[in-house]
Amino acid sequence: MKLLVAGATGVAGSAFMSLVHEAMPDTVVRGTYLTNPPEATGPNTEYVKADLTDREGCLMAARGCDAAVLLAAVTGGAKSTMDAPYRQTTNNLVMDALLLQALYEQGVKKVIYVSTATIYQEFDGAIHEDDLDLNLDPHGTYFGVGWAKRSAEKLCQFWRDVMGMDIKVLRAANIYGPRAAFDPDRSNFIPALIRKAVDKMDPFEVWGSPHVTRDVIYASDFARGVLAVLNAKTDEQTFNIASGETVTVGEVVDFALKAAGHKPGEVKYIGDAPQTIQHRRLDISRIQAETGWKPCVTPEEGIRKTSEWWNANKKTWKK
């Protein structure tokens, strides 16, 4: 099998590439990237620079591959989501539509498409895959990207049901870990807090409330889940992939400060800073039942590992 990994050098892609090298050493892997340079490669690995918002870039990436894992996405934290939500909307729509068609045209039959939990409407409790209600909008903060990803999931259904491709959809919680985006204008909340802790910010400023809850997943756990679905024999087509548990922003702050050895004089929660949905937890019973996968890394351990990576790479990592 020749496997395409679109978006191979970010937080999710690099973790998945490392896992494939370890678990499937005979698999030939082509990873795409646009801005972040690849890490060291194995003998069966090639990286290609490809603009996946361009038709020719998509066709070039897909050519000669048998299967694909689509991890490439335009992402951002609360600040970028509030300041320029169109960046995650238009670029994701274009990229997903062009890439899915290119895969079909190049004869790629098996595809894992990674979607996002932002497609869900507001919901009390753990939301199951079948709880998605397309008659209700995503949370207002995610209106653009949420509908873009809902549209991409419908395109996956079209290519699967009408055109005969084997496509599975994974709806991912907030993924964090080494090689995440640490740029303050683009980072999600965990890398943002880790950066502030490592930089010894004092007073330590946090956007929003300490009581906001999130379902987060460490990159290596996410990678194992993707591989489990790729190799699974299942008729299910859509899976949540997350920890299935919640962590509060206040707990993440404590874990980040502990990992950095930082004891600020004041932790200051800023109520009028950019905020998103207040509570989210995903039901992961389907992926567990169908594949046997389960997450292993706790938020405290994952934040410690991510903090160690950032401390060692902050002078060279540009994302």
Side-chain angles (χ1 to χ4, degrees), residues 207-219:
W207 289 354
S209 164
H211 307 297
V212 167
T213 61
R214 285 290 181 271
D215 192 337
V216 301
I217 184 168
Y218 188 63

Side-chain angles (χ1 to χ4, degrees), residues 8 17 33 36 61 70 125 167-168 177 205 207 216-217 224 314:
M17 293 289 282
Y33 71 99
N36 296 316
L70 307 186
I167 303 181
K168 308 293 188 190
E205 296 183 352
W207 289 354
V216 301
I217 184 168
R224 289 190 303 102
K314 61 183 179 179

Side-chain angles (χ1 to χ4, degrees), residues 76-247:
K79 186 176 187 301
S80 64
T81 300
M82 301 290 278
D83 292 348
Y86 58 87
R87 291 176 184 162
Q88 296 181 59
T89 304
T90 304
N91 286 341
N92 280 315
L93 273 170
V94 171
M95 177 167 53
D96 291 338
L98 290 177
L99 191 49
L100 286 167
Q101 180 166 328
L103 294 172
Y104 176 79
E105 292 176 347
Q106 294 297 323
V108 179
K109 297 298 185 184
K110 188 168 188 175
V111 179
I112 302 293
Y113 173 75
V114 177
S115 184
T116 167
T118 61
I119 70 165
Y120 285 118
Q121 71 278 7
E122 292 192 73
F123 191 86
D124 291 330
I127 193 162
H128 188 271
E129 293 87 350
D130 295 339
D131 291 326
L132 174 64
D133 188 344
L134 295 178
N135 293 308
L136 299 175
D137 288 326
H139 184 274
T141 304
Y142 307 121
F143 185 90
V145 66
W147 272 110
K149 288 299 183 180
R150 286 180 175 188
S151 298
E153 287 197 18
K154 283 297 182 181
L155 283 177
C156 289
Q157 183 180 353
F158 164 74
W159 289 110
R160 180 178 59 239
D161 295 350
V162 178
M163 305 307 294
M165 296 175 71
D166 178 5
I167 303 181
K168 308 293 188 190
V169 173
L170 301 185
R171 295 173 181 161
N174 191 305
I175 306 166
Y176 71 101
R179 297 179 70 86
F182 281 86
D183 183 331
D185 289 333
R186 299 184 56 233
S187 59
N188 286 316
F189 80 108
I190 290 181
L193 292 173
I194 288 173
R195 179 172 185 147
K196 291 176 182 180
V198 170
D199 288 347
K200 310 299 184 189
M201 175 186 277
D202 195 0
F204 192 83
E205 296 183 352
V206 184
W207 289 354
S209 164
H211 307 297
V212 167
T213 61
R214 285 290 181 271
D215 192 337
V216 301
I217 184 168
Y218 188 63
S220 64
D221 278 343
F222 170 80
R224 289 190 303 102
V226 173
L227 190 61
V229 173
L230 180 65
N231 292 329
K233 294 181 179 180
T234 174
D235 293 330
E236 295 289 354
Q237 299 167 346
T238 305
F239 301 87
N240 287 334
I241 182 166
S243 70
E245 303 291 341
T246 56
V247 63

Side-chain angles (χ1 to χ4, degrees), residues 53-73:
T53 63
D54 175 75
R55 176 176 168 77
E56 292 304 316
C58 292
L59 288 169
M60 180 268 291
R63 190 168 293 122
C65 293
D66 305 298
V69 174
L70 307 186
L71 299 169

